[in-house]
Amino acid sequence: MKHFYNTLFLNNRFFYAIAVISLLFVVGFFVPIFFEVSKVLLFILVILVFVDVFILYNLKKAIDVERILPERLSNGDENKITLLLSNLYGFNAHVSIIEEFPYQFQKRDFNYNLVLASKENKTIHYNLKPTERGVYNFGNINVFASSPLQLATKKYVLGEGKEVKCYPSFLKLREFDFKAFTNKSTAYGTKKIRRIGHSLEFEQIKEYVSGDDIRTLNWKATAKRNQLMINQYVEEKSQPVYSIIDKGRAMQMQFNDLTLLDYAVNATLAISNVILRKQDKAGMLSFSTKLEDWVVAEKRNSQMSLISEALHNIKTDFSESDFSALYAVVKRKITHRSLLILYTNFETMDGLNRQLSYLRALAKNHLVLVVFFNNTELDSLINLKAENIEDVYDTIIAEKFMYEKKRIVNELKKYGIQSVLTKPEDLTGDTINKYLELKSRGLF
């Protein structure tokens, strides 16, 4: 009985009917005929409500819903969720669905209304876009079903709660694979890189064909064969590449609902996939006050799984990043020359100068690529038409900060440190592009 009361609701249509009948009762005090009509209408309404409740509860489970979730969610991407609905009633059911989403989405307005024909099955799709990594708890699915009378509603609590982990963005891996391994990058906005020079890994001598680089002509082989012969080179493989993620407080700035840390995590997963596809060794680590989440650079089959699990758990401690600890551990543990892709953020020259000595020390034994971010929020201030003195000050300050970023790039270049200054949303593509450039130039 308690379950019956907890699942039964009277609809607005019932209360509208009661309001009309009550009004007729009032009029009946002055016009007796309306009083008799009101009693008849009230009796009919009560009978219809009992009939409506009976047909709704005649079947114990006449509405069924199955929620199909992905095995894991991709952070910052649209993830497809599917609901499979079934109506076992012998009539068209008016259905309202309220989902219990994980608290991270802060979404309380999902209310899907539809009409299910008798014995009909229907599929509903919708997308969810998580903006932080972690565990997402999906609750029950609340379904409110009404008959064509729509006087009463029966509530069904369906579906089972389920935990789904949210990992760094993996849905775009194929997209970046396509960019990295085809010549169609420019169609997707990726900067075209001109290959400069060759690696020193010799493969074979072959006949010259139109389009080959004449700088690689082998004159001795040409003289022997009496036809043009060239040396063919291949990209050096099995080079260690480490993605180093700064998880200090400087990486907690938010752009488009994602923090810089999340952008760096997503980029690390994507570029690790490209590195392994290029037959290099991919590894990673993170640091703030100490080094954590260490994955040694390898090219085994399970490497992407190891990197994905390590990235899933990366969180900031809002501390000042200790670059001296980074240098000490890298010097001790990474003994072979490697490409170190450092995701961090410097806003001013003073911020760079505090860490420059450690970056220079790393660059003595490794090729260091510093990836940091343009503050896209400043663009609106720079492009703002100044209408008063305060707007002028804001524009000047914004331009000063943008100029500081360019000075940082030049300062790093002075000491042979590679850099990428990018917008947060372009981070992954620009970093992959820079890696391919450095590899094609044989710099590591």
Side-chain angles (χ1 to χ4, degrees):
M1 185 61 68
K2 183 178 180 181
H3 174 75
F4 173 78
Y5 286 120
N6 288 338
T7 59
L8 176 63
F9 299 89
L10 295 174
N11 290 354
N12 288 339
R13 183 175 290 188
F14 169 80
F15 293 105
Y16 293 150
I18 286 292
V20 171
I21 293 172
S22 300
L23 182 61
L24 290 176
F25 269 115
V26 173
V27 175
F29 279 104
F30 306 98
V31 184
I33 185 66
F34 284 102
F35 189 81
E36 299 300 325
V37 171
S38 301
K39 290 193 291 184
V40 173
L41 292 177
L42 180 59
F43 178 76
I44 293 173
L45 178 61
V46 171
I47 296 298
L48 289 176
V49 169
F50 276 108
V51 170
D52 202 5
V53 172
F54 175 77
I55 61 177
L56 285 174
Y57 284 83
N58 189 35
L59 292 176
K60 186 174 181 181
K61 190 177 180 182
I63 300 291
D64 189 34
V65 177
E66 180 184 359
R67 181 200 287 129
I68 300 177
L69 295 170
E71 292 184 4
R72 52 183 182 168
L73 299 176
S74 179
N75 191 29
D77 298 323
E78 296 288 348
N79 295 262
K80 185 178 179 180
I81 314 295
T82 301
L83 297 179
L84 304 178
L85 286 83
S86 300
N87 176 22
L88 302 180
Y89 281 121
F91 51 82
N92 294 350
H94 296 258
V95 174
S96 179
I97 303 169
I98 298 178
E99 270 270 42
E100 294 181 3
F101 289 119
Y103 71 90
Q104 290 95 330
F105 292 110
Q106 291 297 301
K107 191 176 179 67
R108 301 291 183 266
D109 57 351
F110 182 91
N111 190 352
Y112 197 92
N113 300 301
L114 72 159
V115 178
L116 282 175
S118 176
K119 313 301 180 184
E120 181 186 8
N121 298 320
K122 204 161 196 175
T123 303
I124 297 174
H125 302 287
Y126 62 89
N127 294 322
L128 291 176
K129 183 179 179 180
T131 56
E132 59 182 275
R133 288 164 285 110
V135 177
Y136 286 68
N137 291 291
F138 286 82
N140 301 117
I141 305 171
N142 300 288
V143 180
F144 298 85
S146 302
S147 73
L149 293 174
Q150 295 189 62
L151 294 173
T153 294
K154 181 181 179 181
K155 178 184 177 182
Y156 292 88
V157 181
L158 304 172
E160 295 181 356
K162 186 176 180 180
E163 286 188 355
V164 181
K165 290 184 178 180
C166 180
Y167 284 83
S169 176
F170 56 84
L171 292 180
K172 294 182 179 178
L173 291 183
R174 289 186 181 179
E175 174 189 344
F176 289 112
D177 272 354
F178 182 79
K179 293 181 185 181
F181 293 92
T182 69
N183 294 322
K184 297 182 179 180
S185 300
T186 51
Y188 291 82
T190 306
K191 180 182 175 184
K192 187 177 180 181
I193 293 300
R194 179 170 64 93
R195 294 178 64 90
I196 302 174
H198 296 273
S199 70
L200 299 178
E201 189 171 341
F202 175 79
E203 184 180 29
Q204 64 177 349
I205 299 174
K206 74 178 191 72
E207 294 181 6
Y208 173 83
V209 295
S210 179
D212 286 336
D213 191 345
I214 60 173
R215 293 175 299 176
T216 61
L217 282 170
N218 187 317
W219 293 109
K220 288 185 178 180
T222 298
K224 287 181 180 179
R225 297 288 298 273
N226 200 26
Q227 62 180 351
L228 292 175
M229 305 293 290
I230 65 167
N231 295 329
Q232 188 175 38
Y233 299 89
V234 295
E235 291 180 337
E236 293 187 25
K237 299 178 181 178
S238 298
Q239 304 300 307
V241 182
Y242 281 91
S243 297
I244 304 175
I245 301 175
D246 179 357
K247 56 182 183 180
R249 59 171 174 259
M251 297 290 282
Q252 287 308 297
M253 293 178 65
Q254 281 203 347
F255 296 90
N256 297 327
D257 298 325
L258 290 178
T259 65
L260 296 183
L261 179 62
D262 284 319
Y263 281 110
V265 167
N266 290 344
T268 297
L269 185 67
I271 198 171
S272 297
N273 185 54
V274 173
I275 290 166
L276 294 172
R277 292 283 303 277
K278 283 289 187 180
Q279 303 301 312
D280 283 333
K281 299 176 181 178
M284 63 145 295
L285 59 134
S286 65
F287 77 102
S288 58
T289 55
K290 60 181 180 178
L291 268 70
E292 298 175 309
D293 308 301
W294 183 285
V295 178
V296 177
E298 296 288 350
K299 60 175 183 179
R300 54 196 165 195
N301 294 333
S302 61
Q303 193 70 359
M304 280 301 294
S305 297
L306 293 174
I307 291 174
S308 181
E309 284 297 326
L311 291 172
H312 168 257
N313 294 317
I314 289 180
K315 299 192 184 311
T316 184
D317 55 8
F318 297 95
S319 301
E320 183 72 23
S321 299
D322 187 351
F323 280 73
S324 64
L326 172 65
Y327 168 70
V329 175
V330 168
K331 183 179 180 180
R332 188 173 69 253
K333 289 192 173 184
I334 305 179
T335 55
H336 294 88
R337 178 173 171 81
S338 307
L339 171 60
L340 306 181
I341 304 176
L342 172 61
Y343 298 95
T344 186
N345 197 36
F346 296 116
E347 290 293 337
T348 63
M349 283 296 299
D350 289 338
L352 172 65
N353 289 332
R354 287 198 297 270
Q355 315 299 347
L356 186 58
S357 59
Y358 303 113
L359 296 177
R360 291 176 61 186
L362 287 172
K364 289 181 180 178
N365 300 314
H366 305 281
L367 178 61
V368 178
L369 172 60
V370 177
V371 183
F372 61 112
F373 301 87
N374 255 327
N375 189 337
T376 54
E377 299 296 326
L378 296 178
D379 292 339
S380 58
L381 288 176
I382 294 174
N383 298 324
L384 181 68
K385 183 178 179 181
E387 297 181 353
N388 51 52
I389 192 66
E390 184 178 347
D391 291 343
V392 173
Y393 287 146
D394 290 341
T395 301
I396 292 173
I397 292 172
E399 289 177 347
K400 177 181 179 297
F401 276 111
M402 295 294 281
Y403 177 67
E404 285 277 285
K405 294 281 188 178
K406 295 176 182 178
R407 286 185 61 200
I408 291 171
V409 171
N410 292 331
E411 187 72 12
L412 292 171
K413 186 177 181 180
K414 185 194 303 183
Y415 297 104
I417 300 172
Q418 302 288 328
S419 64
V420 173
L421 176 59
T422 180
K423 296 178 181 178
E425 58 268 23
D426 297 334
L427 170 65
T428 302
D430 288 347
T431 306
I432 291 175
N433 199 62
K434 188 67 174 181
Y435 159 74
L436 296 175
E437 176 194 352
L438 297 176
K439 186 170 180 63
S440 69
R441 292 168 60 185
L443 295 181
F444 69 99

